[in-house]
């Protein structure tokens, strides 16, 4: 089915939907599928590009592939028995996402070429007003699935604007520019760069790699999946499931070393050094490529071709970052000068300062970026204080250092589904003029917003656990850390634990917000008792969480108006 185009030029009221999903990568498509499976059809998926795929659409650079095994890097509810390789390339993952969109009937919900420019919460109507590049609409709930790897980050380099050659980021690859025979400078040594370098090295005239910090690189044990294996997975689907569970289990066993016992990673470092020694015979080059921090502090990279490419005669390594551009001359921080025809930035993305946060205006009239100016904080990686009926997929502290983000996404989809059930049970569905099953004028409208104390308590526990992890103790500076040095990116536990803590919404962590016209207050004497529970860490920090009695929680889950302070 083709995309449904909507022209409301002559309408007096904007279109209203129950849920607006922003983004159509794994998170956005996963959210849409879960909404359909929950029986909801009153939703749209807003996508700024002309096709689905997210980061796997945007990153089409030479050599682009996933560093998580294929059978683990796919939805559990949409297995693919026909993955061609154990580690799939970009075009196969993108094709998988297009297939998923078709299989689950998502095309009618897609609004392609609809870039979201502003999302503003209306305190009176209790809904979100959304401005897009193709018009406006309103929604009861927003699910932001733009992802942390969506907006490329190019450092501010003096003189870059005056460079006479070609400049582009790895996530915006210019396929119309011919690199053959050119002098190409690659800036950065992250996950993209180590795939780009071996892919373009054979065809460029000269390749110069600017490296601020060397990465730890392990061999990439990739191979073609045989036809017999694929036939087996098609005929007996449980074999594909078993393969996935084995891959998952191995990675779960690795978590303790990353989060509690970083000293145990010494053996892994030895394996990485052996991988380097096999390809890099020059002791000077090897010294320049050897990290000085604990493996795992920065993302561990997988490649069996990166080191061999660096050993080729047409490749130079500059062990210093790019500091200045003077015409076609690139000057490193250590003074090294290099002539270049093209510059390729493999410098990552805006992760801890996501631009989408500047486009979200909450109940207090401030943007999410302003609310997060001292660091990203959310409740269970999903909701933010001051932003009712808004949630994010792959939010703060949901990233992984060793496993598949699809596992985390599916856990957050569980949380999203229960959030919507709770909201509907409280009377939070409908209110817009065109909302299917809604009530005009906002009658019965309800919103849920996380309590600031609950957000603080959750983040305090996460940051306390983070103190002993390799990401905080390994002696490196990584994109996991924000400007304050706080790790607001990675989850300090197993994926199984994250699934447990996001299985359902605890209404004790939320305030129920009702429209003024139907405001309900329960008499004080009718309130259920509240039991205070504090962990030792919370007592030391002065934070607290509250948990209602079983009767109060059962009543809330059945749709009883919350009888706590903060209900309005």
């Amino acid at each position: 089915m083709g995309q449904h185009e909507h022209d409301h030029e002559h309408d007096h009221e904007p279109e209203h939907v129950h849920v607006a999903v922003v983004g159509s990568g794994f998170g956005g498509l996963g959210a849409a599928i879960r909404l359909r499976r929950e029986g909801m059809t009153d939703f749209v998926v807003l996508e700024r590009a002309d096709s689905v795929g997210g980061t796997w659409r945007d990153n089409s650079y030479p050599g682009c592939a996933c560093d998580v095994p294929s059978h683990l890097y796919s939805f559990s509810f949409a297995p693919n028995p026909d993955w061609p390789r154990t580690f799939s390339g970009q075009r196969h993952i993108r094709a998988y996402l297009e297939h998923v969109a078709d299989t689950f009937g998502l095309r009618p919900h897609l609004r392609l070429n609809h870039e979201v420019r502003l999302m503003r919460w209306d305190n009176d109507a209790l809904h979100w007003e959304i401005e897009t590049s193709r018009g406006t609409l309103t929604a009861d709930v927003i699910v932001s699935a733009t992802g942390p790897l969506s907006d490329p980050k190019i450092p501010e380099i003096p003189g870059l604007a005056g460079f006479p050659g070609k400049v582009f980021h790895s996530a915006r690859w210019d396929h119309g520019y011919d690199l053959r025979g050119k002098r190409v400078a690659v800036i950065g040594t992250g996950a993209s760069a180590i795939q780009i370098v071996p892919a373009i090295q054979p065809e460029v005239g000269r390749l110069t790699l600017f490296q601020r910090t060397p990465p730890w690189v392990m061999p990439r044990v990739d191979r073609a999946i045989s036809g017999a294996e694929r036939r087996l997975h098609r005929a007996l689907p449980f074999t594909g499931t078993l393969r996935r569970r084995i891959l998952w289990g191995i990675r779960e066993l690795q978590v303790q070393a990353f989060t509690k016992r970083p000293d145990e990673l010494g053996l892994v470092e030895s394996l990485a050094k052996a991988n380097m020694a096999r390809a890099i015979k020059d002791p000077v080059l090897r010294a320049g490529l050897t990290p000085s921090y604990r493996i795992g502090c920065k993302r561990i990279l997988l490649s069996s071709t990166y080191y061999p490419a660096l050993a080729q005669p047409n490749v130079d390594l500059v062990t210093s970052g790019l500091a200045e551009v003077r015409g076609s001359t690139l000057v490193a921080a250590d003074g090294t000068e290099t002539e270049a025809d093209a510059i390729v930035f493999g410098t990552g993305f805006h992760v801890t300062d996501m631009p989408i946060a500047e486009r979200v205006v909450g109940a207090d009239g401030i943007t999410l970026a302003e609310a997060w100016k001292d660091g990203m904080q959310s409740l269970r990686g999903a909701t933010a204080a001051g932003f009712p009926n808004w949630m994010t997929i792959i939010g703060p502290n949901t990233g992984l250092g060793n496993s598949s983000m699809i596992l985390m996404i599916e856990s957050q989809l569980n949380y999203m589904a229960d959030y919507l059930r709770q909201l509907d049970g409280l009377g939070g569905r409908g209110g817009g003029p065109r909302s299917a099953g809604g009530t005009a004028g906002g009658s019965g409208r309800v919103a849920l917003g996380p309590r600031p104390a609950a957000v603080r308590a959750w983040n305090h526990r996460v940051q306390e656990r983070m103190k002993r992890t390799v990401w905080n103790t390994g002696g490196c500076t990584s994109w996991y850390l924000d400007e304050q040095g706080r790790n607001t990116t990675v989850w300090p536990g197993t994926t199984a634990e994250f699934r447990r803590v996001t299985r359902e919404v605890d209404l004790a962590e939320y305030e129920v917000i009702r429209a003024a016209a139907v405001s309900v207050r329960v008499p004080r004497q009718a309130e259920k008792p509240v039991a205070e529970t504090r962990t030792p860490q919370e007592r030391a920090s002065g934070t607290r969480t509250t948990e209602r009695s079983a009767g109060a929680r059962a009543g809330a889950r059945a749709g009883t108006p919350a009888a706590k302070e903060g209900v309005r």
Side-chain angles (χ1 to χ4, degrees):
M1 284 188 255
Q3 178 197 359
H4 282 200
E5 295 294 340
H6 298 260
D7 183 2
H8 302 291
E9 182 181 353
H10 302 293
D11 290 357
H12 296 292
E13 298 287 347
E15 177 190 16
H16 182 86
V17 294
H18 186 40
V19 181
V21 179
V22 184
S24 67
F26 268 100
L29 294 182
I33 293 168
R34 187 56 182 268
L35 291 173
R36 289 292 301 261
R37 297 178 80 184
E38 292 288 321
M40 299 183 190
T41 58
D42 185 16
F43 71 91
V44 295
V45 179
L46 303 172
E47 169 56 55
R48 66 185 177 185
D50 60 2
S51 61
V52 303
T55 193
W56 294 105
R57 174 199 60 236
D58 296 341
N59 287 268
S60 59
Y61 59 79
C64 183
C66 189
D67 57 5
V68 174
S70 303
H71 286 84
L72 194 59
Y73 200 78
S74 49
F75 290 121
S76 63
F77 49 79
N80 178 17
D82 292 313
W83 287 117
R85 302 193 66 83
T86 53
F87 291 88
S88 291
Q90 174 263 344
R91 67 184 183 91
H92 296 112
I93 297 174
R94 184 179 180 185
Y96 169 78
L97 290 172
E98 293 280 3
H99 173 73
V100 162
D102 290 329
T103 300
F104 289 90
L106 303 183
R107 299 291 177 185
H109 300 279
L110 292 175
R111 304 285 177 83
L112 304 177
N113 297 306
H114 279 64
E115 180 177 9
V116 172
R117 293 175 174 169
L118 184 67
M119 294 170 274
R120 183 185 299 276
W121 176 252
D122 187 321
N123 284 311
D124 296 323
L126 295 190
H127 67 211
W128 286 92
E129 298 174 350
I130 307 169
E131 297 179 14
T132 79
S133 57
R134 302 286 289 274
T136 63
L137 69 156
T138 61
D140 298 321
V141 179
I142 285 179
V143 177
S144 179
T146 58
L149 306 182
S150 57
D151 292 285
K153 187 174 186 177
I154 294 181
E156 295 183 4
I157 306 294
L160 181 61
F163 180 69
K166 192 70 176 179
V167 179
F168 51 87
H169 190 277
S170 58
R172 301 292 185 267
W173 194 270
D174 188 341
H175 291 278
Y177 182 75
D178 190 354
L179 293 175
R180 287 178 295 181
K182 300 292 197 309
R183 298 168 299 178
V184 180
V186 176
I187 316 300
T189 52
S192 299
I194 72 156
Q195 295 179 344
I196 292 169
V197 167
I200 68 173
Q201 175 271 321
E203 64 182 44
V204 302
R206 188 141 210 95
L207 192 155
T208 303
L209 178 64
F210 285 77
Q211 169 193 274
R212 286 193 306 174
T213 307
W216 284 105
V217 182
M218 294 289 288
R220 181 187 179 87
V221 187
D222 187 25
R223 65 172 179 84
I225 296 177
S226 68
E229 290 174 274
R230 285 184 255 175
R231 287 192 294 273
L232 177 65
H233 294 329
R234 284 196 298 270
L236 302 172
F238 78 88
T239 60
T241 301
L242 177 62
R243 184 174 190 159
R244 177 187 176 90
R245 288 180 177 174
I246 292 172
L247 292 168
W248 167 78
I250 292 171
R251 281 154 181 78
E252 290 289 273
L253 293 174
Q254 298 169 351
V255 172
Q256 292 284 348
F258 286 89
T259 60
K260 295 182 179 179
R261 296 188 289 272
D263 289 343
E264 295 182 357
L265 292 166
L267 175 61
V268 184
E269 285 185 8
S270 299
L271 295 174
K273 289 179 179 178
N275 179 46
M276 183 196 305
R278 280 192 293 270
I280 305 298
K281 305 303 180 183
D282 181 352
V284 176
L285 180 58
R286 194 184 312 146
L289 293 171
T290 302
S292 59
Y293 55 89
R294 174 64 74 191
I295 194 169
C297 182
K298 293 169 73 76
R299 183 176 175 182
I300 300 175
L301 307 181
L302 302 181
S303 178
S304 297
T305 57
Y306 177 64
Y307 288 138
L310 293 182
Q312 298 305 308
N314 69 330
V315 178
D316 295 313
L317 175 69
V318 177
T319 55
S320 183
L322 177 61
E324 184 182 358
V325 177
R326 301 172 188 161
S328 61
T329 303
L330 311 188
V331 185
D334 64 2
T336 302
E337 296 187 359
T338 302
E339 295 294 316
D341 302 309
I343 302 175
V344 177
F345 282 96
T347 45
F349 301 84
H350 289 275
V351 176
T352 59
D353 58 340
M354 294 184 288
I356 191 67
E358 299 174 356
R359 306 182 185 189
V360 185
V361 181
D364 297 326
I366 65 172
T367 66
L368 186 61
E370 291 170 324
W372 283 353
K373 66 181 187 301
D374 295 324
M376 298 190 300
Q377 288 195 42
S378 67
L379 178 59
R380 303 181 187 271
T383 56
F387 297 83
N389 284 12
W390 180 91
M391 61 193 334
T392 182
I393 306 296
I394 313 184
N397 291 114
T398 60
L400 296 176
N402 73 311
S403 193
S404 172
M405 281 304 301
I406 312 306
L407 301 170
M408 302 295 278
I409 289 172
E410 290 194 21
S411 293
Q412 292 198 288
L413 298 182
N414 291 338
Y415 195 77
M416 176 199 75
D418 195 53
Y419 184 98
L420 292 169
R421 289 188 212 109
Q422 300 283 357
L423 193 63
D424 287 355
L426 291 165
R429 185 176 175 85
R434 290 183 190 77
S435 179
T439 306
S443 177
R445 294 287 308 272
V446 174
L448 284 173
R451 298 177 179 275
V455 176
R456 288 193 299 269
W458 172 260
N459 281 275
H460 175 74
R461 291 194 294 270
V462 169
Q463 292 303 321
E464 283 296 305
R465 292 179 60 181
M466 199 69 72
K467 289 179 179 178
R468 61 194 294 190
T469 67
V470 69
W471 308 300
N472 281 38
T473 65
C476 73
T477 300
S478 72
W479 57 266
Y480 298 148
L481 309 180
D482 62 18
E483 292 183 352
Q484 286 75 37
R486 295 174 66 250
N487 191 328
T488 58
T489 306
V490 185
W491 168 245
T494 64
T495 62
E497 179 188 4
F498 189 76
R499 177 154 293 200
R500 286 195 299 273
V501 299
T502 55
R503 192 179 304 279
E504 63 181 19
V505 169
D506 180 1
L507 282 180
E509 296 180 327
Y510 285 85
E511 61 176 351
V512 181
I513 308 165
R514 294 189 179 276
V518 292
S519 178
V520 177
R521 287 189 178 275
V522 179
R524 286 284 180 179
Q525 60 269 27
E527 290 186 2
K528 299 292 184 179
V530 177
E532 177 185 301
T533 59
R534 296 199 206 187
T535 66
Q537 294 89 346
E538 289 165 348
R539 284 195 294 270
S541 67
T543 59
R544 71 175 60 184
T545 56
T546 58
E547 182 176 352
R548 284 177 289 183
S549 66
R553 293 189 64 192
R557 294 186 71 84
T560 303
K564 300 187 67 179
E565 289 184 8
V567 177
R568 61 185 187 271

